[in-house]
Each structure stands twice: as structure tokens, then as C-alpha cells.
Amino acid sequence: MANKTEKRHEALGLTDERVLEMYETMLLARRIDERMWLLNRAGKIPFVISCQGQEAAQVGTAFAMDPEKDFVAPYYRDMGVVLTFGMTARDLMLSGFAKAEDPNSAGKQMPGHFGQKKNNIITGSSPVTTQVPHAVGFALAGRMEGKDLVTFCSFGEGSSNQGDFHEAANFAGVHKLPVLFVCENNKYAISVPVSKQLACEKVSDRAIGYGMPGVTVDGNDPLAVYEAAKEAVERGRRGEGPTLIETVSYRLTPHSSDDDDRAYRTREEVEEAKKKDAVITFADYLKESGVLTDEIENEINERVKKEVDEATEYAENADYAPAEDAMKHVYAE
């Protein structure tokens, strides 16, 4: 157990204020996600693809980067990443409701297809893993333009079996590009357990084949993730090439709002995983280290609740795109 003299975050160069910000970002992602599930079940939004159980991995990585100059190519669960890089609860709710003001696609895309130029969020597409070579391309372009930038791409462990991942990792390794390859291993590629996806023990074992370091960390520990990501970012900035980070956590929800996970995993397994829920365990750490008091916790909860409520109300009442915009930004208009 930690005590007030044992502050792991200080050893990593993180202030009390910074780790409280990390916690609030994780909590905001969780509360937006929970609200989206309620809205979906109420028939108000069509689809949810959840971040629950992976917030620590997302926030821990994103906080190690510089949103002013770095670029992220997130995968569809990465609500914690895009919130860190500047998206708001309102932005995400507008996407959920598919409204005209949705900054990702003006309501044309499903939720989770993040993209926002002003916040250095590279637009994603529906096929899994396509964001990985895009991140490598941005890193190459940055080098060619003499820019001090690092790119980040995330993907599930199922995506680590796709050709896009292998080609992108090989290219980045050969050219020593500043890329963070972050595999958010949540144990299931939809219904396929990791034991039927990988012949090797860890996704990070694959790194050696591409001439880069690979590390596996506890995806429920945002500080462990931050430490690994910070080192990888610094390596990239020094011109030493890419890094593969595997964050191991657990997907606490079904794959999506259209999935019934009872068909392939037991309720006991899910309940056991909830005991390691990072939103709870990180709050416990912050309390034990004297950073999170009851008063601060209440303030954060109230602030997050207000933000989610206001975002929901705004997005629900916002306008849909007019029919004549159906082809806008689709073809060469």
C-alpha cells in the first residue's frame, strides 16, 4: 500500500495536479461512455463502441506526448486519447448522435471514427488497422519536413495480426521513424480470445522482428503505461526509432452495443476483471498518496457530471446535416 511519502508519479516527473488531470480524463471518458450506453438502450443513438477498461492505457500514453506538435492515429475505442488531445464531451456526443456539428465527419461516420485536424488527430476509417500505416506516414513526413514530432497509433491485439500492422512496423523499423505502436490488448478480438489469436506469448515479442524494442505493461496502471510511453517518445525524438508497447487490460463491456458477450465469456470472468478497474484503483492510489481528498473527488465528479449532462443536452438538440450535404466531402466537391 502506498502512503503519503510514496508518490510513484513524482519519480516520473508528474506533479499532483498532473495526475489529478489524468484521473479526471479517465473518469470523463468512462462517464461519457456510460451515458452513451444509456442513450443507445433508450433508442436515441444507434451504436456504441466502448472504451471501458482501457482508459488507463489510453490516458497514460497520451499524457506522455505533446499535443502541440505530436500526432495521434487512434483506434475506435480511444476516447481517453482524443480527450487528452483536445476533443470535448460535446464533440463526442455530437458524433454519437450523428449531428451536423460532429467534428469527426459531420455525422457521416459511426462513433469511434475520430479525426480532428486542429487537435492533431488523424482521421480513421472503418477497416481495422488502417490507422497504423497512416501514423508511420505522418512520422516519415515529419522527418522529411524537419519537424520534431512523434506519432502514436493504437490498435487491438487482433489488429496486430493484420498485414497493415506488419508492413507499417517493418517500414518504421527500417527507417527508424518516431512512432509509438501501442497495442491495447483487451483479451478479445470481438469473440476470439487472445489464446486463439497469438502463437507467441506476448504481442510485444513481435518487436524484435522489426528491429525495435518491445515492452508489455499493466494496462490498468496509468503510471506504468506513462513511464513506458515517455521513454518511447524520448527515443523517437532522439532519432532512435519506433517502439512497440503492449498494454494488457480487459474489455469490461461487450465488443459493441450490437454484441452479446455472454456467448463467449462468463459473467464470473467479467466480474473478476472489474476488480482491477483502473478508474477505481487509480483513485485508490491517489487517495493513499494524499493527492485525492474527498473534497477534490467530489469537485471532479460534479464537474464531470455537469460536462456530460451539458454535452448530452446540446448534442440531442443539435441539428442533423441537411440532405443536400450527403455528398459533401465524400467525392471531389
Side-chain angles (χ1 to χ4, degrees), residues 118-196:
K118 72 176 184 178
N119 284 318
N120 292 352
I121 300 168
I122 303 168
T123 300
S125 59
S126 292
V128 297
T129 332
T130 53
Q131 71 279 6
V132 181
H134 295 164
V136 172
F138 267 71
L140 177 62
R143 173 176 292 176
M144 292 170 70
E145 294 178 358
K147 294 179 178 177
D148 175 28
L149 65 83
V150 173
T151 63
F152 155 96
C153 58
S154 58
F155 46 93
E157 78 287 349
S159 286
S160 74
N161 302 316
Q162 299 292 319
D164 279 332
F165 164 73
H166 297 288
E167 292 179 31
N170 189 63
F171 189 93
V174 168
H175 296 282
K176 293 193 178 301
L177 298 175
V179 185
L180 269 69
F181 295 95
V182 180
C183 177
E184 295 181 26
N185 181 349
N186 64 18
K187 307 292 181 67
Y188 286 92
I190 308 185
S191 60
V192 183
V194 69
S195 61
K196 293 184 178 180

Side-chain angles (χ1 to χ4, degrees), residues 56-72:
Q58 297 166 4
V59 172
T61 305
F63 266 67
M65 304 190 73
D66 185 345
E68 297 297 319
K69 59 184 178 182
D70 295 334
F71 285 79
V72 293

Side-chain angles (χ1 to χ4, degrees), residues 190-209:
I190 308 185
S191 60
V192 183
V194 69
S195 61
K196 293 184 178 180
Q197 299 177 56
L198 306 176
C200 52
E201 182 182 350
K202 302 171 183 175
V203 173
S204 62
D205 290 339
R206 292 172 160 166
I208 192 171

Side-chain angles (χ1 to χ4, degrees), residues 269-301:
E269 180 181 310
V270 177
E271 290 305 312
E272 189 63 28
K274 287 181 178 178
K275 295 176 183 177
K276 299 177 181 177
D277 183 351
V279 171
I280 297 170
T281 58
F282 192 45
D284 289 342
Y285 161 77
L286 294 174
K287 290 174 184 176
E288 290 163 4
S289 59
V291 175
L292 183 64
T293 64
D294 290 343
E295 182 182 1
I296 294 173
E297 185 175 26
N298 289 335
E299 289 174 0
I300 290 173
N301 276 302

